[in-house]
């Protein structure tokens, strides 16, 4: 069996948190129409429960992201470093747009910020794969 290292743990936690943050958004977006048919209030309840889990995952993403950057920063330069900075910016933007979605009150704002949050989350995954 291969040895388990701190790098393995760090990356596994980062990937797990990303699956919750990104996958959870996509899953909830797919379920909202069905939940809304049952009860409009049920949508808010489900969103609040998801937010409790999702923001914890985002915090783990941020912590492991800082840990990941600290582990490689001195050895990266050029296009890799630029891509890494862009990814960090997109991750921050994903959190900002998710917070805006959570605080939005009208249907248009909910739709726009929800779409932006999902889009930036997916872009962050793509950039993470690109960096891998």
């Amino acid at each position: 069996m291969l040895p388990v290292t701190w790098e393995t743990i760090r990356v596994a936690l980062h990937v797990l948190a990303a699956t919750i943050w990104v996958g959870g958004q996509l899953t909830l977006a797919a379920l909202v129409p069905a939940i809304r048919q049952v009860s409009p209030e049920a949508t808010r309840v489900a969103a609040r429960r998801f937010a409790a889990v999702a923001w914890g995952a985002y915090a783990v993403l941020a912590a492991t992201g800082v840990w990941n950057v600290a582990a490689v920063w001195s050895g990266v330069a050029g296009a890799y470093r630029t891509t890494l900075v862009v990814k960090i910016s997109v991750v921050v933007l994903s959190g900002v747009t998710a917070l805006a979605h959570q605080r939005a009150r009208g249907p248009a704002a909910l739709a726009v910020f929800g779409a932006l949050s999902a889009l930036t989350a997916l872009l962050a995954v793509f950039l993470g794969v690109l960096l891998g």
Side-chain angles (χ1 to χ4, degrees):
M1 185 165 149
L2 295 173
V4 176
T5 65
W6 283 111
E7 179 181 6
T8 309
I9 293 167
R10 180 186 78 234
V11 172
L13 288 172
H14 196 71
V15 170
L16 175 61
T19 62
I20 294 167
W21 179 255
V22 181
Q25 287 185 50
L26 299 176
T27 301
L28 188 59
L31 291 175
V32 160
I35 295 169
R36 190 177 290 131
Q37 284 180 348
V38 173
S39 164
E41 181 56 30
T43 304
R44 288 187 196 99
V45 173
R48 273 188 240 117
R49 288 298 302 147
F50 171 68
V53 174
W55 286 115
Y58 189 81
V60 172
L61 273 173
T64 56
V66 168
W67 190 7
N68 287 337
V69 170
V72 301
W73 188 256
S74 64
V76 299
Y80 189 94
R81 185 176 280 206
T82 301
T83 305
L84 182 57
V85 170
V86 170
K87 181 188 183 239
I88 292 165
S89 301
V90 169
V91 169
V92 169
L93 189 57
S94 180
V96 168
T97 55
L99 184 60
H101 173 74
Q102 187 174 347
R103 294 185 177 188
R105 295 295 167 238
L110 283 166
V112 167
F113 289 121
L116 287 173
S117 179
L119 182 63
T120 53
L122 288 168
L123 183 55
V125 169
F126 176 80
L127 292 169
V129 170
L130 184 62
L131 290 166

